[in-house]
Amino acid sequence: MKKIFILAAFAVSTVCAMAQVKYAVSGTYAENGKKVYLLDRLTKKTIDSMVVANGKFSFTGTADKDALVALKTQNGNLEIEFFNDGTPVIINFNDSTLKGSPMNERLAKLNHEMEIPLRKFEAKTANMTEAEMGAHGEELMNELNEVIDGMQAFANKVFKEERNSLIPVAFSQLYLLDNGVEAYDELVKEGVVFASHPYLKKMRDEIEEMTKPKDGEKTAFIGQQFIDLEMADPDGKMHKVSELVGGGKYVLVDFWASWCGPCRAEMPNVLEAYNNFHDKGFEVIGVSFDQKKEAWVKAIGQLKMPWLQISDLKGWKCAAAPIYKVDAIPDNILIDPQGKIIDRGLRGKLLHRRLERLLNK
């Protein structure tokens, strides 16, 4: 039955890809002599290009029906998406507006609204020197994470409120990154109008590839019993990971360091997961790759991590590195109540969704 479903879905997407409709795209842009490009989001190829003359440009031709396309300036600073639905499109790059079908006008409005915080962040950092960015690194990282979280929340809202059009397809990367590839299967099962759009399926496949661990040596640990680690806590008392394993609990061994920007940016997510699932049987133990005890202890307080923290203060020579093939952080392993490693590299919403499936039964 599953094979039949897959073949049927492939047949639908193939038919959609074969249908061609005419496009007519014109517009204005103040940069005479510069090129504008018409791009196919699915294939990532250029459909057409045109040199701006007298502040104007225009394209005509045929492309896949309802393909998600984008018009992009030569320097890449400006880009406007729309669907090739057969209605002529007029784009003004001078004020980033689009005129066309109601669906494409709505899409342009939503994209513009979603990107306002990102544009403000880009404007804020555009003229900062490398030294200034380094001095405000943690602050900027937190601000950027807030912007990304806001964009993902916006995409979730679009998927909820725009279900009767193709518009959610344009936000599918953000939506699936936040909700996981399982959300694609739910959309197909629900039979939403855009479920068979090939770009949605492409995003599903790309995100699955992007989010799964790549290193064979690292993923080889999944399915094996954990190897114990013993190190000191900030007070100098020795602890083992095995102290937490068992008793019906799932344990996340979190590899991090105070000097690691991405680790610090990820920690609020781990804290949220801890607060949500600790009472249901979820534990965390932090294994630090720090060398300086003062920086390590300070970071524990700053990041408000209530779980057990251990370290041998040997940096990349940490005992955990060769045992678990840790060559980049943040990284983590998830251990089940029987001491078996069942997952690795769980970050962002992936961690929450994994715990939900395990503990919200």
Side-chain angles (χ1 to χ4, degrees), residues 273-282 352 355-356 359-360:
Y274 181 85
N275 290 336
N276 290 342
F277 296 100
H278 178 62
D279 292 342
K280 298 178 180 180
F282 176 56
H352 293 257
L355 294 173
E356 283 171 2
L359 298 171
N360 284 346

Side-chain angles (χ1 to χ4, degrees), residues 18-310:
M18 289 170 59
Q20 298 276 303
V21 297
K22 293 181 179 180
Y23 63 80
V25 183
S26 60
T28 55
Y29 185 35
E31 298 289 334
N32 286 317
K34 295 292 180 68
K35 274 190 173 183
V36 291
Y37 299 88
L38 186 63
L39 309 173
D40 186 326
R41 285 288 195 232
L42 180 66
T43 63
K44 299 181 181 179
K45 294 181 178 179
T46 300
I47 300 172
D48 206 344
S49 64
M50 175 72 62
V51 176
V52 178
N54 299 318
K56 297 180 180 180
F57 57 85
S58 64
F59 303 92
T60 56
T62 58
D64 292 345
K65 184 182 186 315
D66 292 328
L68 180 62
V69 296
L71 198 65
K72 186 176 183 179
T73 58
Q74 184 173 331
N75 58 16
N77 289 341
L78 300 171
E79 185 171 304
I80 296 179
E81 289 182 329
F82 56 94
F83 290 97
N84 184 36
D85 58 6
T87 302
V89 171
I90 301 173
I91 289 175
N92 186 341
F93 273 128
N94 301 319
D95 60 10
S96 297
T97 57
L98 176 150
K99 291 182 180 180
S101 66
M103 178 176 67
N104 279 328
E105 290 184 4
R106 176 70 175 157
L107 172 59
K109 180 180 178 182
L110 289 169
N111 262 326
H112 177 74
E113 183 180 344
M114 181 186 71
E115 292 175 356
I116 289 173
L118 179 61
R119 297 290 172 246
K120 288 181 178 179
F121 179 81
E122 290 174 340
K124 175 181 177 178
T125 58
N127 297 317
M128 292 180 70
T129 65
E130 188 174 331
E132 289 173 328
M133 294 187 76
H136 299 281
E138 184 178 345
E139 174 191 334
L140 293 173
M141 181 67 72
N142 290 336
E143 187 174 341
L144 180 57
N145 282 328
E146 287 181 9
V147 169
I148 294 171
D149 287 344
M151 292 175 71
Q152 288 181 324
F154 192 95
N156 288 332
K157 182 181 177 183
V158 168
F159 266 75
K160 181 179 180 180
E161 297 179 354
E162 307 287 337
R163 297 179 89 75
N164 295 320
S165 78
L166 296 178
I167 286 175
V169 171
F171 298 85
S172 56
Q173 184 181 58
L174 285 167
Y175 180 76
L176 294 175
L177 275 171
D178 193 40
N179 295 279
V181 295
E182 301 88 352
Y184 170 83
D185 300 325
E186 293 170 7
L187 292 168
V188 172
K189 184 178 179 180
E190 185 180 338
V192 293
V193 297
F194 53 86
S196 63
H197 198 285
Y199 184 77
L200 180 68
K201 176 62 164 61
K202 180 181 177 67
M203 287 300 98
R204 182 247 180 246
D205 294 344
E206 286 189 356
I207 287 166
E208 181 179 50
E209 182 65 23
M210 183 192 312
T211 54
K212 70 180 182 182
K214 302 294 191 300
D215 193 317
E217 286 189 335
K218 292 184 178 183
T219 56
F221 288 99
I222 297 175
Q224 297 184 9
Q225 289 297 114
F226 83 102
I227 301 171
D228 211 358
L229 297 169
E230 184 177 22
M231 299 178 196
D233 69 12
D235 295 324
K237 183 179 178 181
M238 299 300 291
H239 288 277
K240 293 182 178 181
V241 171
S242 55
E243 293 173 20
L244 299 178
V245 175
K249 295 183 178 181
Y250 290 86
V251 179
L252 186 78
V253 183
D254 188 37
F255 305 116
W256 74 290
S258 66
W259 45 261
C260 169
C263 299
R264 298 180 73 113
E266 174 65 12
M267 213 55 73
N269 177 66
V270 180
L271 179 59
E272 182 183 354
Y274 181 85
N275 290 336
N276 290 342
F277 296 100
H278 178 62
D279 292 342
K280 298 178 180 180
F282 176 56
E283 292 284 356
V284 180
I285 178 170
V287 178
S288 172
F289 279 58
D290 275 284
Q291 287 182 292
K292 298 179 180 179
K293 183 175 181 179
E294 182 180 352
W296 173 43
V297 174
K298 183 179 179 181
I300 293 171
Q302 289 175 331
L303 297 170
K304 299 179 173 61
M305 295 181 283
W307 50 83
L308 176 63
Q309 296 283 345
I310 60 174

